[in-house]
């Protein structure tokens, strides 16, 4: 039925649906009947596509695909994210976040089990130890940790390490607190 409808439309000179009646339908007005070339010699592509049976090419959407690549071709997620980070200028932030996210891989599970990175701003890495003894140990190991981080990440990512001990509870609440007192004298660790 579809083939018969197409034949009838061609016989009436209507061509494809959506085109104006008689234009380029093989009546010799504005198009070469043999090649499908228009008045300027440009190929309109109508005859070639009809005879080959290929569907018309899809239009390329602007901004989706690079030149020479079809917009439907999938891209690797990592390269897309890397391109986005580079376009927005987020390389330093991404590197800083990778230090915090990969802390146990960078320094090893022994050190990572007893301390955690809190922040990395302007090359200064701040660590919080689980006890005062580990805070002292990390202060002594800070040069070695800094050397490992420089070897893994580059010389300008981490330039200084600051180690804090565990946070002690505040005793400055209630009616019995005094100003200037020395506190409970416990290291909490």
């Amino acid at each position: 039925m579809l083939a018969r409808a197409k034949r009838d439309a061609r016989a009436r000179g209507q061509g494809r649906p959506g085109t104006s009646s008689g234009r380029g339908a093989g009546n010799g007005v504005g198009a070469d009947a043999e090649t499908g070339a228009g008045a300027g010699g440009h190929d309109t592509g109508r005859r070639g596509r009809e005879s080959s049976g290929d569907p018309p090419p899809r239009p390329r959407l602007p901004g989706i695909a690079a030149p020479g690549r079809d917009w439907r071709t999938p891209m690797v997620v990592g390269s897309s994210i890397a391109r986005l980070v580079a376009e927005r200028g987020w390389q330093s932030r991404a590197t800083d976040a990778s230090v915090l996210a990969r802390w146990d891989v960078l320094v090893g599970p022994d050190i990572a089990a007893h301390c955690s990175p809190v922040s990395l701003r302007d090359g200064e890495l701040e660590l919080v130890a689980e006890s005062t003894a580990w805070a002292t140990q990390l202060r002594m190991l800070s040069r070695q940790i800094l050397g490992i981080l420089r070897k893994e990440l580059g010389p300008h990512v981490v330039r200084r390490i600051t180690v804090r001990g565990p946070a002690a509870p505040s005793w400055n609440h209630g009616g019995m607190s005094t100003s200037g007192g020395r506190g409970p004298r416990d290291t909490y660790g």
Side-chain angles (χ1 to χ4, degrees), residues 110-182:
D110 295 333
I111 294 175
H114 299 289
C115 70
S116 60
V118 176
S119 67
L120 177 58
R121 291 188 193 115
D122 300 325
E124 182 174 344
L125 177 65
E126 185 176 353
L127 302 175
V128 174
E130 70 176 9
S131 66
T132 54
W134 266 102
T136 304
Q137 184 74 14
L138 288 171
R139 286 184 190 106
M140 289 190 297
L141 291 173
S142 65
R143 286 191 185 265
Q144 293 170 354
I145 295 171
L146 192 59
I148 292 169
L149 294 175
R150 284 183 177 167
K151 185 176 81 173
E152 292 289 325
L153 305 169
H156 302 293
V157 177
V158 179
R159 293 186 295 270
R160 185 172 175 220
I161 295 177
T162 304
V163 180
R164 289 188 302 148
S170 172
W171 294 95
N172 293 334
H173 53 80
M176 300 298 286
S177 64
T178 60
S179 61
R182 292 177 57 192

Side-chain angles (χ1 to χ4, degrees), residues 26-73:
N27 59 0
V29 179
D32 185 8
E34 291 295 320
T35 63
H42 299 289
D43 185 17
T44 59
R46 283 185 42 106
R47 293 268 184 206
R49 265 183 275 149
E50 285 178 3
S51 63
S52 67
D54 292 336
R58 283 193 164 181
R60 263 181 59 167
L61 299 176
I64 298 253
R69 191 177 70 78
D70 188 19
W71 65 273
R72 292 171 288 190
T73 305

Side-chain angles (χ1 to χ4, degrees), residues 101-117:
R102 300 183 315 143
W103 178 248
D104 56 342
V105 174
L106 292 172
V107 297
D110 295 333
I111 294 175
H114 299 289
C115 70
S116 60

Side-chain angles (χ1 to χ4, degrees), residues 5 8 14 18 29 45 79 91 98-99 103 107 114 119 123 152 180 186 189:
D8 293 342
Q14 291 180 350
V29 179
S79 66
Q91 291 94 348
S98 73
V99 171
W103 178 248
V107 297
H114 299 289
S119 67
E152 292 289 325
D186 193 353

